């Protein structure tokens, strides 16, 4: 009969191993990641997170074929990510975030058939995002933000039909926003902000019917805000400030009845503020300054300040402001 044991391996730390059979750690790991971890072939779950561990990840981790969960976040690990992790065919959860890992992301990780939660954000990774088509069918959460990744966003990400949260922000990614991402029907969080992306916002993203948060600010995006975004009925936050977007704010924004946060400041938008925004009864933040939006803010929009709108900024400062806004909370 198999026994499931839990051991506290370092008396002054909080990490533990969950093991199968009669594995006993002797001596304890101290503060350095154990280079002989690969000999513990019956391990199913490892959690050594938040322990100030140093050292590198040894290649023999690929021998832990029974491993389903591996948590190593919030440590001080260095070196590269071993290619041998791609051998862990039963791995479902992999947390390597908030370390000092460098090098590239092994392609084999994107071929793990059971992996559904992969977080390697807040490291010093370089290179491109592996372009592997449909090899991780269970993937739901992918966090690659806070690295130094370059290249395009691979279209193959659109084949992960279960993907619910995609975080690629604060890298050096370039090229277009893939229109194929509009196929991700389960996606509710998309963070692409603070990269070097330079294209239009694809109208095909109207397929993101469960999307609640869309962050594309701090890039080099051009073109208009597509009217099709008005079909994103679950959208709560849309942040597109600090780009080069042009044209008017589309009236279809007024169909986003769940919208709480709208920030399009510091673009090249023009025209008037659509009166349809008055339909957004949950809107708490509206930031439109740093554009060429003119005219008088409708009374119906100002009525929102009595309901939900707590932060409203526009170019209403000076003797002859671009916009007349009697209800703005900040004039810039």
């Amino acid at each position: 009969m198999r026994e499931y044991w839990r051991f506290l391996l370092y008396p002054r730390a909080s990490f533990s191993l969950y093991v199968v059979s009669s594995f006993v750690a002797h001596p304890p790991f101290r503060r350095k990641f154990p280079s002989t971890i690969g000999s513990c072939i019956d391990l199913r779950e490892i959690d050594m997170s938040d322990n100030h561990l140093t050292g590198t990840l040894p290649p023999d981790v690929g021998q832990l074929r029974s491993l389903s969960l591996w948590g190593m976040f919030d440590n001080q690990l260095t070196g590269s990510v071993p290619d041998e992790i791609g051998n862990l065919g039963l791995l479902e959860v992999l947390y390597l975030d908030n370390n000092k890992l460098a090098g590239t992301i092994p392609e084999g990780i994107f071929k793990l058939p059971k992996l559904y939660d992969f977080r390697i954000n807040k490291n010093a990774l370089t290179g491109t995002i592996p372009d592997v088509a449909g090899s991780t069918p269970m993937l739901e959460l992918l966090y690659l933000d806070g690295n130094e990744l370059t290249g395009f966003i691979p279209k193959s990400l659109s084949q992960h039909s279960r993907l619910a949260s995609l975080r690629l922000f604060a890298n050096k990614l370039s090229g277009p926003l893939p229109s194929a991402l509009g196929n991700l029907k389960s996606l509710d969080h998309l963070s692409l902000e603070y990269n070097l992306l330079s294209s239009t916002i694809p109208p095909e993203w109207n397929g993101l019917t469960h999307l609640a948060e869309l962050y594309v600010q701090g890039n080099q995006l051009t073109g208009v805000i597509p009217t099709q975004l008005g079909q994103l009925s679950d959208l709560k936050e849309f942040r597109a400030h600090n780009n080069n977007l042009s044209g008017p704010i589309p009236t279809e924004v007024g169909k986003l009845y769940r919208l709480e946060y709208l920030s399009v400041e510091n673009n090249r938008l023009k025209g008037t503020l659509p009166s349809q925004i008055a339909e957004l009864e949950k809107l708490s933040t509206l930031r439109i300054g740093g554009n060429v939006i003119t005219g008088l803010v409708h009374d119906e929009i100002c009525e929102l300040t009595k309901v939900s709108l707590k932060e409203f900024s526009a170019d209403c400062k000076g003797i002859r402001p671009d916009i007349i806004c009697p209800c703005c909370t900040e004039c810039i």
Side-chain angles (χ1 to χ4, degrees):
M1 180 177 180
R2 291 184 174 181
E3 298 178 62
Y4 292 81
W5 293 5
R6 178 182 180 185
F7 296 94
L8 190 63
L9 299 178
Y10 188 72
R12 295 185 180 178
S14 60
F15 63 75
S16 59
L17 294 181
Y18 296 81
V19 301
V20 178
S21 75
S22 57
F23 169 79
V24 178
H26 182 76
F29 287 172
R30 307 293 179 188
R31 289 282 182 174
K32 193 171 184 179
F33 186 80
S35 59
T36 57
I37 191 70
S39 63
C40 308
I41 58 174
D42 288 327
L43 283 173
R44 289 190 175 183
E45 296 184 354
I46 302 176
D47 187 357
M48 300 182 182
S49 304
D50 194 16
N51 277 282
H52 306 285
L53 293 173
T54 61
T56 60
L57 299 174
D60 66 356
V61 298
Q63 299 177 34
L64 305 177
R65 302 299 179 91
S66 298
L67 202 63
S68 64
L69 181 150
W70 189 12
M72 296 297 302
F73 64 85
D74 290 347
N75 284 297
Q76 300 175 18
L77 299 173
T78 57
S80 59
V81 181
D83 291 336
E84 288 78 4
I85 291 180
N87 297 331
L88 306 180
L90 298 181
L91 194 64
E92 298 177 358
V93 176
L94 178 58
Y95 295 157
L96 300 176
D97 46 305
N98 202 16
N99 281 284
K100 300 178 181 179
L101 298 170
T104 59
I105 302 174
E107 183 176 298
I109 292 178
F110 283 84
K111 296 180 180 180
L112 295 173
K114 294 183 177 293
L115 188 67
Y116 71 83
D117 191 348
F118 176 35
R119 308 184 189 198
I120 198 168
N121 48 309
K122 298 180 181 179
N123 280 284
L125 299 171
T126 56
T128 60
I129 300 172
D131 190 359
V132 181
S135 299
T136 316
M138 307 301 290
L139 193 63
E140 296 180 10
L141 304 170
L142 179 59
Y143 294 2
L144 307 181
D145 53 278
N147 285 289
E148 299 178 19
L149 300 174
T150 56
F152 289 8
I153 298 173
K155 295 180 180 179
S156 59
L157 290 179
S158 65
Q159 298 183 19
H160 299 289
S161 60
R162 295 182 178 224
L163 201 60
S165 182
L166 177 60
R167 296 173 39 156
L168 306 180
F169 67 88
N171 279 289
K172 298 179 180 178
L173 300 171
S174 58
L177 301 177
S179 59
L181 292 184
N183 297 325
L184 297 174
K185 306 298 183 183
S186 299
L187 198 66
D188 66 17
H189 180 97
L190 179 57
S191 290
L192 305 177
E193 68 267 29
Y194 303 117
N195 279 288
L196 303 172
L197 300 168
S198 56
S199 70
T200 58
I201 299 175
E204 292 85 355
W205 282 10
N206 65 337
L208 301 174
T209 51
H210 292 291
L211 193 66
E213 298 166 330
L214 175 55
Y215 302 149
V216 294
Q217 70 267 26
N219 282 288
Q220 301 169 10
L221 302 179
T222 58
V224 301
I225 299 173
T227 60
Q228 289 85 349
L229 289 190
Q231 300 173 31
L232 303 182
S233 57
D234 284 347
L235 196 64
K236 294 181 179 179
E237 294 193 22
F238 178 45
R239 306 190 186 204
H241 52 273
N242 296 342
N243 279 290
N244 295 308
L245 298 172
S246 58
I249 297 176
T251 59
E252 286 78 6
V253 169
K255 299 178 181 179
L256 302 174
Y257 300 120
R258 297 185 180 181
L259 196 66
E260 299 174 4
Y261 196 109
L262 175 59
S263 177
V264 292
E265 61 188 343
N266 298 327
N267 279 284
R268 299 179 180 178
L269 300 173
K270 60 182 181 179
T272 59
L273 189 63
S275 60
Q276 289 81 357
I277 285 180
E279 302 295 325
L280 306 179
E281 296 182 354
K282 295 185 178 181
L283 191 66
S284 63
T285 300
L286 176 59
R287 304 185 65 87
I288 61 171
N291 288 289
V292 194
I293 297 174
T294 59
L296 175 65
V297 174
H298 294 269
D299 292 339
E300 293 84 354
I301 295 176
C302 284
E303 286 295 313
L304 288 178
T305 60
K306 302 176 183 179
V307 180
S308 61
L309 190 58
K310 305 302 181 184
E311 183 181 355
F312 184 6
S313 65
D315 295 301
C316 50
K317 190 175 182 179
I319 299 175
R320 295 182 178 178
D322 291 337
I323 189 169
I324 307 300
C325 184
C327 56
C328 279
T329 59
E330 180 184 11
C331 289
I332 57 176

